Every structure is written in C-alpha cells, then in structure tokens.
Amino acid sequence: MALENLGKALNSALKKLARSNVVDEAVIKEVVRDIQRALIMSDVNVRLVLDLTKRIQKRALEEKLPPGISRKEHIIKIVYEELTNFLGKEAKSIEIKEKPTVLLTVGIQGSGKTTSIAKLARYFQKRGYNVGLVCTDTWRPGAYYQLKQLVEPFNIEVFGDPEEKDAIKLAREGVSYFKEKNVDIIIVDSAGRHKEEKGLIEEMRQISEAINPHEVILVIDGTIGQQAYNQALAFKEATPIGSIIVTKLDGSAKGGGALSAVVATGAPIKFIGVGERVEDLEPFDPKRFVSRLLGLGDIQGLLEKFEELSKEHEFKEEDMEKFLKGKFNLKDMYAQLEAMQKMGPLKQILQMIPGMGYSLPDEFVQVGEQRLKKFKVIMDSMTEEELEKPDIINYSRIKRIARGSGTSVRDVRELLQQYNQMKKFFKGMNKRKLSRLAKKLGGMNFGGFGI
Ligand SMILES: Nc1nc2c(ncn2[C@@H]2O[C@H](COP(=O)(O)OP(=O)(O)O)[C@@H](O)[C@H]2O)c(=O)[nH]1
Ligand SMILES: [Mg+2]
C-alpha cells in the first residue's frame, strides 16, 4: 500500500514523541511539523493540513491531562482523534431497505466503476443478498464481458447487450429484468465517457430519471489526489442521496489527499478500493483507517476479515478462539494459512493487529504458495497424533517424516518452526495487552474479545 508511506511517516512522528524524555513545547511543535510534512507529501490540501495541525498543537499544549494518562499518551490520543474527525468521524454504510434496492454507479471512465461494482456485488452476496448487475456501458465493446468475467466465479448474473447502443434503454430493461427475477439488489454500471464533472452529472441525471435509483454511487480514482474535491463537490450538489467509493488506494501516494478532499466536501465515503481483485473492497471507517495508518492496529478490522472467512466456511469462530489462546495444532495452522492465502497478503491482515505496526518480519508473513504446498506434503506423512500434538515430534520422528514425504529434515523443521513462531505470536497478543491498548485509545471498539 502506498498509503503505507503516509502511515510510516505519521508513525515515526509518534515514535519520536515516544522516545523523547521530556515532552515540552519544542517537542510538540516538532511532532506537529512532522505530521504536517507527512500529510502534504501525500497531497493533502495545504490549508486543510494547517487547520488540522493547528488544532492538534493547540489541544496538545492547552488541554489538561486526564488523571492517570501520560502527556505522551494524551498527544497520541489527540492526533488519533483529530485525524479521525478529519476523515469523517463515523463510518457510513449503504442501506438496503427495500426489495429490490437499486444502486446506480457513476464516475469518469477508468475510475474503477466496473471493478467496484463487481466488488460491491460480492460484498452484498456474502451478506446474504441476491444481486443482479446491469451493464449500460455502450461505449466500450468489452465492458459487458469485463463485468461478466469479474463476477462469473460467484454466479452473479449480469444483464447487458453488447450490440445495443442506447444506454438508457439498457438501464430500464435491466432493472425490470431483475425486478421480475425478484433479486434483493440491482446495481447499474454506467459508461462515464466524459472528461469532467459536468458531463458526469448530466449522465447521472439521465439514467437516474430512467430508473429512479435508491442511491447513486460516485466512484473516484484515488490517484488524482486533492483534485477529487471538485468531482465530489459537483456530485454532492447534484444529488442528496449520494455515496462515494474512492479506488486505487493501494497504489497511490496521493490517497490521503483524495480521501481528505472528498471528506472536506461533506460527501460520505462508504467504501474504498484497495486492489484489483474482487475482494479488495473495504467499508470506510475513519476510526479504523486512522488507527491502522498510525500503526495502532485494528482489531475490529481483523475480526471482520475473520468473520468473512468463517462465512465461507473456511475459518470458524471456534478456530479463532483456538488461535488467540495459542491452542492450535498443525492441521489448524495449515487451514488458516490456506485461508489467508485466499484472503490476500497475510501481511495486510497482520498489520491490523495492535502493536504489530509495520515491524513484522517478512519471512514470517510470506508463506508463499510453494511453501504451503511443501507443508501439505510433509503433513501428509505425519500421523494423526503428530498433527494434533506437534510437540511430540522428536528428531527420529522428523527423520521418518522427511523420508516419507520425500523432503529433508530441514524442511520438516521449517514447518515446525513456523508452527512454533505462530504459537508464540498469538500468545503474545493476550487479553491484557489488548485491554491496555483499548484503554489508551478510549472510545475504540474492541468488541468480541470481552475486554
Ligand atoms: N490497483 C487498483 N486498481 C484498480 C482498483 N479499482 C479499479 N482498478 C483498475 O483500474 C482500471 C479501470 O477500472 P474499471 O473498473 O474498468 O474502470 P471504469 O472505466 O470506471 O469502469 C482497471 O484496470 C482496474 O483493474 C483498485 O482499487 N486498485
Ligand atoms: Mg467500466
């Protein structure tokens, strides 16, 4: 993630604070300057940065310390709070009230509409909704097939006709087609064949009139940085029911600029796109986003990822319990590594764990596909007892397993090492550590762990 750079810079500003012996005015001002620099580097509007950092500085210098809180902790909390407010404070979601709920997606060509629609469809499908997609992009010949291909693995139906030239007609027909099919949600894709805001709004008006959507979603390319302001503003003025998806935040150094610019217009960001895969969509929650950015970890986000997995029957809640208690065996570990492989980079997930920040050793998180395959072969040569109680595996067993699986003693040891490392790691994130962190951050939600 390129936003990682912003996160790193903010994180190192806070680390500087943590390292200093005395927290006086000079230190506070230096930290504030570092934060300023980090934000401006990621293309956040200078005026917004100055306003924000002025507030942080004022609060840090003037506010009375709550009892039992150190000056450093207090400043971290202020930075966290102000950044959270800066990015919109509360998470907002797309409400599905009526059946069918019709959503229309608009945005400039290349902004990521079609990809985002596929992501949204999958997101809602995972939550139990039956979704139908309508392609009205009559400009790009491949548009219909692009969407179809993206959602094919999930059996989501796409309505469209590559021969038809009338987008409005397609929109109307598509919506009535899926109404008859009794789906829960209909999402309509549009072409967005225009260069600037005016054309975009006009297209939205026309299709809107034809299908009367419950919500219009504007898709904005995050790589345009603070230019996102004008698009979001024009959109917000034209529609009271809009929501926004900011895409490509995985690759853009300007992501911070795009996000803050959109928030500054008062238009709600509901999702962010963080990759090209259908899974790479995240509900936008400023609290969660900022704590991750600052390297404070994000237990809530982690839980949500686990939850999604368990919905796919790949990872169940009791398994998570096992892991968090450090009571898992080799079979559990394998299932989990496999699941994480499917879910995307393990590193991304582990970054959400409090205290881990960006300091995870790479060799620990990069369990590549090849290694996973090798693990599987090795495990196939183990007895049931060994899989369930890996602690009994002594040297002579290691030799036998290596021989049986056609691997080496070193390979078997590597697997056991991975297991022991993981065990240590999960044991390290015990409840006390989590609850200390929760206290520090105040209002953050660490639900699910009973702390
Ligand atoms: N890295 C990255 N690429 C994205 C993201 N969203 C879309 N893209 C890519 O951006 C390009 C344009 O996307 P598309 O959905 O066709 O845009 P549309 O013209 O608005 O429908 C494609 O190559 C997508 O794979 C994202 O969140 N991250
Ligand atoms: Mg498209």
Side-chain angles (χ1 to χ4, degrees), residues 327-378:
K327 282 185 187 150
F328 57 99
N329 59 33
L330 280 171
K331 276 200 257 176
D332 299 323
M333 177 178 89
Y334 185 82
Q336 203 234 11
L337 288 176
E338 205 180 24
M340 287 204 170
Q341 205 81 1
K342 282 189 197 142
M343 203 161 48
L346 186 53
K347 192 161 184 168
Q348 213 172 308
I349 314 279
L350 294 181
Q351 261 172 14
M352 297 187 202
I353 296 167
M356 294 313 293
Y358 297 100
S359 55
L360 271 178
D362 273 354
E363 67 275 13
F364 173 53
V365 293
Q366 279 167 1
V367 186
E369 219 165 301
Q370 286 306 323
R371 242 175 112 194
L372 210 58
K373 265 190 202 144
K374 202 179 253 176
F375 285 175
K376 178 100 175 99
V377 173
I378 295 171

Coordinates of all heavy atoms in Angstrom, one line a residue, residues 327-378:
K327 N -3.9 -22.3 21.3 CA -4.1 -23.7 21.4 C -4.5 -24.2 20.0 O -5.7 -24.5 19.8 CB -5.2 -24.0 22.4 CG -4.8 -23.9 23.8 CD -5.9 -24.3 24.8 CE -5.4 -24.1 26.2 NZ -6.5 -23.8 27.1
F328 N -3.6 -24.4 19.1 CA -4.0 -24.9 17.8 C -2.9 -25.9 17.4 O -1.8 -25.9 17.9 CB -4.1 -23.8 16.8 CG -2.8 -22.9 16.6 CD1 -2.0 -23.2 15.6 CD2 -2.5 -21.9 17.5 CE1 -0.8 -22.4 15.4 CE2 -1.4 -21.1 17.4 CZ -0.5 -21.4 16.3
N329 N -3.3 -26.8 16.5 CA -2.4 -27.8 16.1 C -2.0 -27.6 14.7 O -2.3 -26.6 14.1 CB -3.0 -29.2 16.3 CG -4.2 -29.4 15.6 OD1 -4.4 -28.9 14.5 ND2 -5.2 -30.2 16.1
L330 N -1.2 -28.5 14.1 CA -0.7 -28.3 12.7 C -1.8 -28.2 11.7 O -1.8 -27.4 10.7 CB 0.3 -29.4 12.4 CG 1.7 -29.2 12.9 CD1 2.5 -30.5 12.7 CD2 2.4 -28.0 12.3
K331 N -2.9 -29.0 11.9 CA -4.0 -29.0 11.0 C -4.7 -27.6 11.0 O -5.0 -27.1 9.9 CB -5.0 -30.1 11.3 CG -4.6 -31.4 10.8 CD -5.8 -32.3 10.7 CE -5.8 -33.3 11.9 NZ -7.0 -34.2 12.0
D332 N -4.8 -27.1 12.2 CA -5.5 -25.8 12.3 C -4.6 -24.7 11.6 O -5.1 -23.9 10.9 CB -5.6 -25.3 13.7 CG -6.5 -26.3 14.5 OD1 -7.5 -26.8 13.9 OD2 -6.2 -26.6 15.7
M333 N -3.3 -24.9 11.8 CA -2.4 -23.9 11.2 C -2.5 -23.9 9.7 O -2.6 -22.9 9.0 CB -1.0 -24.1 11.7 CG 0.0 -23.1 11.0 SD 1.7 -23.3 11.5 CE 2.3 -24.5 10.3
Y334 N -2.5 -25.2 9.2 CA -2.5 -25.3 7.7 C -3.8 -24.7 7.1 O -3.7 -23.9 6.2 CB -2.4 -26.8 7.3 CG -2.3 -26.9 5.8 CD1 -1.1 -26.7 5.2 CD2 -3.4 -27.1 5.0 CE1 -1.0 -26.7 3.8 CE2 -3.4 -27.1 3.7 CZ -2.1 -27.0 3.0 OH -2.1 -27.0 1.7
A335 N -4.9 -25.0 7.8 CA -6.2 -24.5 7.3 C -6.2 -22.9 7.3 O -6.6 -22.3 6.4 CB -7.3 -25.0 8.2
Q336 N -5.5 -22.4 8.3 CA -5.5 -21.0 8.5 C -4.6 -20.3 7.4 O -4.9 -19.3 6.8 CB -5.1 -20.6 9.9 CG -5.5 -19.2 10.3 CD -4.4 -18.4 10.8 OE1 -3.3 -18.8 10.6 NE2 -4.7 -17.3 11.3
L337 N -3.4 -20.9 7.3 CA -2.5 -20.4 6.2 C -3.2 -20.4 4.9 O -3.1 -19.5 4.1 CB -1.2 -21.2 6.2 CG -0.3 -21.0 7.4 CD1 0.9 -21.9 7.3 CD2 0.2 -19.5 7.5
E338 N -3.9 -21.5 4.6 CA -4.5 -21.7 3.3 C -5.6 -20.6 3.2 O -5.7 -20.0 2.1 CB -5.1 -23.0 3.3 CG -5.3 -23.5 1.9 CD -6.0 -24.9 1.8 OE1 -6.7 -25.3 2.8 OE2 -5.7 -25.6 0.8
A339 N -6.4 -20.4 4.2 CA -7.4 -19.4 4.1 C -6.8 -18.0 3.9 O -7.4 -17.2 3.1 CB -8.2 -19.4 5.4
M340 N -5.7 -17.7 4.6 CA -5.2 -16.4 4.5 C -4.6 -16.2 3.1 O -4.6 -15.1 2.6 CB -4.1 -16.2 5.5 CG -4.6 -16.0 6.9 SD -3.5 -15.1 8.0 CE -4.5 -14.8 9.4
Q341 N -4.1 -17.3 2.5 CA -3.6 -17.2 1.2 C -4.7 -16.7 0.2 O -4.5 -15.9 -0.6 CB -3.2 -18.6 0.7 CG -2.1 -18.6 -0.3 CD -0.8 -18.4 0.3 OE1 -0.6 -18.2 1.5 NE2 0.2 -18.3 -0.6
K342 N -5.9 -17.2 0.5 CA -7.0 -16.9 -0.4 C -7.5 -15.4 -0.1 O -8.0 -14.7 -1.0 CB -8.2 -17.8 -0.1 CG -8.1 -19.1 -0.7 CD -9.3 -19.9 -0.6 CE -9.1 -21.4 -0.9 NZ -9.8 -22.3 0.0
M343 N -7.3 -15.0 1.1 CA -7.8 -13.7 1.6 C -6.9 -12.6 1.1 O -7.3 -11.4 1.2 CB -7.8 -13.8 3.1 CG -8.8 -12.8 3.7 SD -9.2 -13.3 5.4 CE -7.6 -13.5 6.1
G344 N -5.7 -12.9 0.7 CA -4.8 -11.8 0.3 C -3.6 -11.8 1.2 O -3.5 -12.7 2.0
P345 N -2.7 -10.8 1.0 CA -1.5 -10.9 1.7 C -1.7 -10.9 3.2 O -2.4 -10.1 3.8 CB -0.8 -9.6 1.3 CG -1.7 -8.9 0.3 CD -2.9 -9.7 0.2
L346 N -1.0 -11.9 3.8 CA -1.1 -12.1 5.2 C -0.6 -10.9 5.9 O -1.2 -10.5 7.0 CB -0.2 -13.3 5.6 CG -0.1 -13.8 7.0 CD1 -1.5 -14.2 7.4 CD2 0.7 -15.1 7.0
K347 N 0.3 -10.2 5.3 CA 0.9 -9.0 6.0 C -0.2 -8.0 6.2 O -0.2 -7.4 7.3 CB 2.0 -8.5 5.1 CG 2.8 -7.4 5.8 CD 4.1 -7.2 5.1 CE 4.9 -6.2 5.8 NZ 6.3 -6.2 5.4
Q348 N -1.0 -7.8 5.2 CA -2.1 -6.8 5.4 C -3.0 -7.1 6.6 O -3.4 -6.3 7.3 CB -3.0 -6.9 4.1 CG -3.5 -5.6 3.7 CD -4.2 -5.8 2.3 OE1 -3.5 -6.3 1.4 NE2 -5.4 -5.5 2.2
I349 N -3.2 -8.4 6.8 CA -4.1 -8.8 7.9 C -3.3 -8.6 9.2 O -3.9 -8.0 10.2 CB -4.4 -10.3 7.9 CG1 -4.8 -10.8 6.5 CG2 -5.4 -10.7 8.9 CD1 -6.2 -10.5 6.1
L350 N -2.1 -9.0 9.2 CA -1.4 -9.0 10.5 C -1.1 -7.5 10.9 O -0.9 -7.2 12.1 CB 0.0 -9.7 10.4 CG -0.3 -11.2 10.2 CD1 1.0 -12.0 10.1 CD2 -1.1 -11.8 11.3
Q351 N -1.1 -6.6 9.9 CA -0.9 -5.2 10.2 C -2.0 -4.7 11.1 O -1.8 -3.7 11.7 CB -0.8 -4.4 9.0 CG 0.6 -4.1 8.6 CD 0.7 -3.5 7.2 OE1 -0.3 -3.0 6.7 NE2 1.9 -3.5 6.6
M352 N -3.1 -5.3 11.0 CA -4.3 -4.8 11.8 C -4.2 -5.2 13.2 O -5.0 -4.8 14.0 CB -5.5 -5.4 11.2 CG -5.8 -5.0 9.8 SD -7.4 -5.6 9.3 CE -7.2 -5.6 7.6
I353 N -3.2 -6.0 13.6 CA -3.1 -6.4 15.0 C -2.4 -5.4 15.8 O -1.3 -5.0 15.4 CB -2.4 -7.8 15.1 CG1 -3.3 -8.8 14.4 CG2 -2.2 -8.2 16.5 CD1 -2.6 -10.1 14.1
P354 N -3.0 -4.9 16.9 CA -2.3 -3.9 17.7 C -0.9 -4.2 18.0 O -0.6 -5.3 18.3 CB -3.2 -3.9 19.0 CG -4.5 -4.5 18.6 CD -4.2 -5.4 17.5
G355 N -0.1 -3.2 18.0 CA 1.3 -3.3 18.4 C 2.2 -3.9 17.3 O 3.4 -3.9 17.4
M356 N 1.6 -4.5 16.3 CA 2.5 -5.1 15.3 C 3.0 -4.0 14.3 O 4.1 -4.1 13.8 CB 1.7 -6.2 14.5 CG 1.4 -7.4 15.3 SD 2.7 -8.0 16.3 CE 3.8 -8.6 15.0
G357 N 2.1 -3.1 14.0 CA 2.5 -2.0 13.1 C 3.1 -2.5 11.9 O 2.7 -3.4 11.2
Y358 N 4.2 -1.9 11.5 CA 4.9 -2.3 10.3 C 6.1 -3.1 10.5 O 6.9 -3.4 9.7 CB 5.3 -1.1 9.5 CG 4.1 -0.3 9.1 CD1 3.7 0.9 9.8 CD2 3.3 -0.7 8.0 CE1 2.6 1.6 9.4 CE2 2.2 0.0 7.7 CZ 1.8 1.1 8.4 OH 0.7 1.8 8.1
S359 N 6.3 -3.6 11.8 CA 7.6 -4.2 12.1 C 7.6 -5.7 12.0 O 8.4 -6.4 12.5 CB 7.9 -3.8 13.6 OG 6.8 -4.1 14.4
L360 N 6.6 -6.3 11.3 CA 6.6 -7.7 11.2 C 7.7 -8.3 10.3 O 8.0 -7.7 9.3 CB 5.3 -8.2 10.5 CG 4.1 -8.4 11.4 CD1 2.9 -8.8 10.6 CD2 4.5 -9.6 12.4
P361 N 8.4 -9.3 10.8 CA 9.5 -9.8 10.0 C 8.9 -10.5 8.7 O 7.9 -11.2 8.8 CB 10.1 -10.9 10.8 CG 9.1 -11.2 11.9 CD 8.2 -10.0 12.1
D362 N 9.4 -10.2 7.6 CA 8.9 -10.6 6.3 C 8.8 -12.1 6.2 O 7.8 -12.7 5.7 CB 9.7 -10.1 5.1 CG 9.2 -8.7 4.7 OD1 8.1 -8.3 5.3 OD2 9.8 -8.1 3.9
E363 N 9.9 -12.8 6.7 CA 9.9 -14.3 6.5 C 8.7 -14.9 7.2 O 8.3 -16.0 6.9 CB 11.3 -14.9 6.9 CG 11.6 -14.8 8.3 CD 12.2 -13.4 8.7 OE1 12.2 -12.5 7.9 OE2 12.7 -13.3 9.8
F364 N 8.2 -14.2 8.2 CA 7.1 -14.8 9.0 C 5.8 -14.7 8.2 O 5.0 -15.6 8.3 CB 7.0 -14.1 10.3 CG 5.8 -14.5 11.1 CD1 5.6 -15.9 11.4 CD2 5.0 -13.6 11.6 CE1 4.4 -16.2 12.1 CE2 3.9 -13.9 12.4 CZ 3.6 -15.3 12.6
V365 N 5.6 -13.6 7.5 CA 4.3 -13.4 6.9 C 4.3 -13.9 5.5 O 3.2 -14.1 4.9 CB 3.9 -11.9 6.9 CG1 3.6 -11.5 8.3 CG2 4.9 -11.0 6.3
Q366 N 5.4 -14.1 4.9 CA 5.4 -14.5 3.5 C 5.4 -16.0 3.4 O 6.5 -16.6 3.1 CB 6.5 -13.9 2.7 CG 6.2 -12.5 2.3 CD 7.4 -11.7 1.8 OE1 8.5 -12.3 1.7 NE2 7.2 -10.5 1.4
V367 N 4.3 -16.7 3.7 CA 4.3 -18.1 3.5 C 3.8 -18.3 2.0 O 2.6 -18.3 1.8 CB 3.3 -18.7 4.5 CG1 3.3 -20.2 4.4 CG2 3.6 -18.3 5.9
G368 N 4.7 -18.4 1.1 CA 4.3 -18.5 -0.3 C 3.6 -19.8 -0.6 O 3.5 -20.7 0.2
E369 N 3.0 -19.8 -1.8 CA 2.3 -20.9 -2.2 C 3.1 -22.2 -2.3 O 2.7 -23.2 -1.9 CB 1.7 -20.6 -3.6 CG 0.3 -21.1 -3.9 CD -0.3 -20.4 -5.1 OE1 -0.3 -19.2 -5.1 OE2 -0.6 -21.2 -6.0
Q370 N 4.4 -22.0 -2.7 CA 5.3 -23.2 -2.8 C 5.5 -23.8 -1.5 O 5.4 -25.0 -1.3 CB 6.6 -22.7 -3.4 CG 6.6 -22.4 -4.9 CD 6.1 -23.5 -5.7 OE1 6.3 -24.7 -5.4 NE2 5.3 -23.2 -6.7
R371 N 5.7 -22.9 -0.5 CA 6.0 -23.4 0.8 C 4.8 -24.1 1.4 O 4.9 -25.1 2.1 CB 6.4 -22.3 1.7 CG 7.8 -22.4 2.3 CD 8.2 -21.2 3.1 NE 8.3 -21.5 4.5 CZ 8.4 -20.6 5.4 NH1 8.3 -19.3 5.1 NH2 8.6 -20.9 6.6
L372 N 3.6 -23.5 1.1 CA 2.4 -24.1 1.6 C 2.2 -25.5 1.0 O 1.8 -26.4 1.7 CB 1.2 -23.2 1.2 CG 0.0 -23.2 2.1 CD1 0.4 -22.7 3.5 CD2 -1.0 -22.2 1.5
K373 N 2.6 -25.7 -0.2 CA 2.4 -27.0 -0.9 C 3.4 -28.0 -0.2 O 3.0 -29.1 0.1 CB 2.8 -26.9 -2.3 CG 1.6 -26.6 -3.2 CD 2.0 -26.8 -4.7 CE 1.0 -26.1 -5.6 NZ 1.6 -25.4 -6.8
K374 N 4.6 -27.5 0.1 CA 5.5 -28.4 0.8 C 5.0 -28.8 2.2 O 5.1 -29.9 2.6 CB 6.9 -27.7 0.9 CG 8.0 -28.6 1.1 CD 9.4 -27.9 1.2 CE 10.2 -28.1 -0.1 NZ 11.4 -27.3 0.0
F375 N 4.5 -27.8 2.9 CA 3.9 -28.1 4.2 C 2.9 -29.2 4.1 O 2.8 -30.1 4.9 CB 3.2 -26.9 4.8 CG 4.2 -25.8 5.3 CD1 3.7 -24.6 5.8 CD2 5.5 -26.0 5.4 CE1 4.5 -23.6 6.3 CE2 6.4 -25.1 5.8 CZ 5.9 -23.9 6.3
K376 N 2.1 -29.1 3.0 CA 1.0 -30.1 2.8 C 1.6 -31.5 2.7 O 1.1 -32.5 3.3 CB 0.2 -29.7 1.6 CG -1.0 -30.6 1.3 CD -2.3 -30.1 1.8 CE -3.4 -31.0 1.4 NZ -3.9 -31.9 2.4
V377 N 2.6 -31.6 1.8 CA 3.2 -32.9 1.5 C 3.8 -33.5 2.8 O 3.6 -34.6 3.1 CB 4.4 -32.7 0.5 CG1 5.1 -34.0 0.3 CG2 3.8 -32.3 -0.8
I378 N 4.5 -32.6 3.6 CA 5.1 -33.1 4.8 C 4.0 -33.5 5.8 O 4.1 -34.6 6.4 CB 5.9 -31.9 5.5 CG1 7.1 -31.5 4.6 CG2 6.4 -32.3 6.9 CD1 7.8 -30.3 5.1

